[in-house]
């Protein structure tokens, strides 16, 4: 087989066989196929697409390019959840303890990553003492005991995806549905998920700005899961404005605690109940989605979800008393309100730009080397559709620097008020299974 022939075949719109796809991925991973040929191939896929079968083969070839995590020693069906990007997306912090509290095992491998805020691990590290440096044996033991543990990414998972994603980033080939779908799904499958619940975001703060694109991506991922024997379903949810109120690391931990108590933002709570119900159902802990939802609502009401969070934090060295006293989380030096300049209704809170404002404060990493300030970030006081009076707070800014004119300006530019009444956006657009 020669790479040049396979590039040509894809360029001309033909479908590749399983063997051909494996040849490409193996050759690229071990360095026999150079970046320039892989770039041409990625561009051919960008224009010609891939069939569902090809996309599934590509996914499995990437899974097989490296190590995979064996979760077979964990009792029960392991359901993983994946949200595609987003701003202030606190769902993982809530869903872990929430579904664990009703007996669904959550074996979470998580990362730090780049972005507006840190990844799940960064957020959790704002709890004093909490750490993810646990051995694989300890990880499995903890999931069996507490139904929830989080471990840092270790080992050589999906090296083909790492290499290809970096290449796509510099060759204008990121935005291809088969390439995105296989990239995300390969990582979930390598991490040992039996079943997968996807939360595909749409809107300004999402990868897929348009609803139709989000749906197409969700369909492609569900199709991959189904073809490779992992039950998969997707929810399409709104990311035109940030989810919940808090955007920042310790601030999101506090928001997760509030939500686990039933006192969190309505949109975050609702999305967590919907995603969580599907996780519980796929894990076969409930015989219907309605039953699953009731179980989760009860776990919030009777405090068992919050208890699960405390148990989980303590098991990984964290000071669980932060749950009852969030003032023990890192605190910013300056707390400054951004006041509305006029009366009106909030018409738009541009999610990605608000995320950038949080990053300007130091809540996220611009490069791999940047350090994160866990204490800083934003808490929205108003969301789209809310009425606001001149002088009322739109956002509370948590900062460790006193001079924040740049942040204020970015926020004013991206929180648009209207004199007319505005409808709150739909939270959940669709479900694909
Ligand atoms: N996220 C991924 O992990 N891969 C992609 O290709 C796009 C987003
Ligand atoms: Ca949030």
């Amino acid at each position: 087989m020669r790479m040049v022939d396979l590039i040509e075949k894809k360029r001309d719109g033909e479908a590749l066989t399983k063997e051909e796809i494996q040849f490409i991925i193996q050759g690229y991973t071990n360095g026999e196929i150079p970046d320039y040929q892989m770039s041409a191939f990625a561009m051919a896929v960008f224009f010609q697409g891939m069939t569902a079968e090809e996309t599934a083969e590509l996914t499995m070839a990437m899974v097989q390019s490296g190590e995979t995590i064996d979760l077979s020693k964990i009792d029960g069906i392991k359901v993983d959840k994946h949200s595609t990007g987003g701003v202030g997306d606190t769902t993982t912090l809530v869903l872990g303890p929430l579904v664990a509290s009703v007996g669904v095992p959550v074996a979470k491998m998580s990362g730090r990553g780049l972005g507006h805020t840190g990844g799940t691990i960064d957020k959790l590290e704002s709890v004093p003492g909490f750490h993810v440096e646990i051995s694989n044996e300890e990880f499995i033991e903890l999931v069996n005991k507490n139904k929830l543990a989080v471990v840092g990414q270790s080992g050589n998972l999906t090296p083909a995806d790492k290499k290809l994603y970096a290449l796509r980033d510099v060759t204008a080939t990121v935005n291809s549905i088969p390439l995105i779908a296989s990239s995300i799904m390969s990582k979930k499958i390598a991490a040992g998920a039996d079943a997968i619940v996807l939360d595909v975001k749409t809107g300004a703060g999402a990868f897929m700005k348009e609803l139709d694109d989000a749906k197409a991506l969700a369909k492609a991922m569900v199709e991959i899961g189904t073809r490779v024997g992992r039950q998969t379903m997707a929810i399409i949810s709104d990311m035109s404005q940030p989810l919940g109120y808090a955007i920042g690391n310790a601030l999101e931990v506090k928001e997760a605690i509030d939500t686990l108590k039933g006192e969190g933002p309505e949109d975050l709570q609702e999305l967590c109940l919907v995603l969580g119900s599907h996780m519980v159902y796929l894990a076969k802990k409930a015989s219907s989605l309605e039953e699953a939802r009731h179980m989760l609502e009860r776990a919030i009401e009777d405090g068992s979800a919050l208890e699960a969070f405390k148990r989980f934090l303590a098991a990984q060295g964290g000071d669980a008393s932060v749950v009852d006293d969030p003032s023990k989380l890192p605190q910013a030096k300056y707390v400054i309100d951004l006041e509305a300049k006029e009366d009106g209704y909030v018409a738009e809170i541009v999610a990605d730009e608000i995320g950038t404002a949080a990053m300007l404060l130091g809540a996220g990493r611009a490069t791999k080397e940047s350090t994160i300030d866990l204490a800083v970030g934003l808490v929205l006081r108003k969301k789209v559709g809310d009425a606001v009076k001149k002088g009322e707070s739109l956002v509370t800014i948590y900062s460790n620097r006193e001079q924040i004119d740049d942040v204020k300006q970015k926020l004013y530019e991206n929180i648009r008020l209207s004199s007319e009444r505005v409808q709150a956006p739909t939270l959940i657009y669709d479900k694909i299974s």
Side-chain angles (χ1 to χ4, degrees), residues 29-51:
T29 308
N30 67 28
E32 282 161 18
I33 293 173
D35 280 347
Y36 55 82
Q37 285 191 309
M38 199 61 183
S39 306
F41 177 73
M43 192 57 87
V45 171
F46 181 92
F47 282 111
Q48 295 291 3
M50 277 187 151
T51 65

Side-chain angles (χ1 to χ4, degrees), residues 88-90 243-247 252 255 268:
D89 180 29
T90 318
L243 184 68
Y245 302 123
I247 304 143
E252 288 187 45
E255 180 165 80
L268 177 61

Side-chain angles (χ1 to χ4, degrees), residues 12 26 46 51 60 90 98 119 134 143 168 186 205 220 251 271 283 332 355 364 369 375 392 403 423:
D12 295 342
Q26 278 170 15
F46 181 92
T51 65
M60 291 315 287
T90 318
L98 181 56
I134 52 177
V143 180
R168 287 164 55 212
S186 67
L251 294 169
L271 183 58
E369 289 70 34
E392 256 189 301
Q403 209 284 90
Q423 280 267 314

Side-chain angles (χ1 to χ4, degrees), residues 82 161 165 168 174 176 179-181 183-184 187 207:
H82 180 80
D161 173 64
Y165 197 7
R168 287 164 55 212
V174 167
S176 148
L179 295 181
I180 299 174
S183 168
I184 293 173
K187 284 175 276 210
F207 229 102

Side-chain angles (χ1 to χ4, degrees), residues 135-307:
S135 68
N136 281 346
E137 293 72 39
E138 213 177 337
F139 177 58
I140 285 169
E141 215 172 282
L142 285 178
V143 180
N144 277 330
K145 185 161 153 246
N146 297 330
K147 299 291 170 204
L148 171 61
V150 175
V151 71
Q153 255 143 24
S154 65
N156 186 26
L157 261 56
T158 59
D161 173 64
K162 272 196 198 86
K163 216 173 154 186
L164 180 55
Y165 197 7
L167 185 74
R168 287 164 55 212
D169 209 25
V170 293
T171 55
T173 52
V174 167
N175 235 321
S176 148
I177 283 175
L179 295 181
I180 299 174
S182 56
S183 168
I184 293 173
M185 290 298 284
S186 67
K187 284 175 276 210
K188 293 285 122 184
I189 293 166
D194 297 319
I196 301 160
V197 173
L198 298 163
D199 171 22
V200 179
K201 312 279 194 188
T202 184
F207 229 102
M208 293 293 165
K209 313 271 183 224
E210 304 298 330
L211 180 56
D212 285 346
D213 293 337
K215 278 189 199 172
L217 176 61
K219 281 199 183 115
M221 291 194 286
V222 169
E223 176 92 40
I224 292 170
T226 309
R227 281 175 181 265
V228 306
R230 308 298 205 280
Q231 254 200 304
T232 304
M233 61 82 52
I235 294 290
I236 316 276
S237 72
D238 182 63
M239 192 38 81
S240 57
Q241 64 177 339
L243 184 68
Y245 302 123
I247 304 143
N249 298 280
L251 294 169
E252 288 187 45
V253 170
K254 162 83 166 53
E255 180 165 80
I257 293 167
D258 291 343
T259 308
L260 289 166
K261 284 180 184 162
E263 297 163 5
E266 220 175 286
D267 58 351
L268 177 61
Q269 166 157 328
E270 178 58 26
L271 183 58
C272 287
L273 285 171
V274 170
L275 293 170
S277 306
H278 286 90
M279 292 172 78
V280 172
Y281 179 70
L282 288 185
K284 297 196 162 57
K285 295 284 178 190
S287 52
S288 69
L289 286 172
E290 292 70 35
E291 186 193 349
R293 185 173 171 121
H294 283 139
M295 289 164 74
L296 296 177
E297 286 171 344
R298 209 173 319 124
I300 291 174
E301 275 159 31
D302 69 14
S304 44
L306 203 61
E307 279 309 310

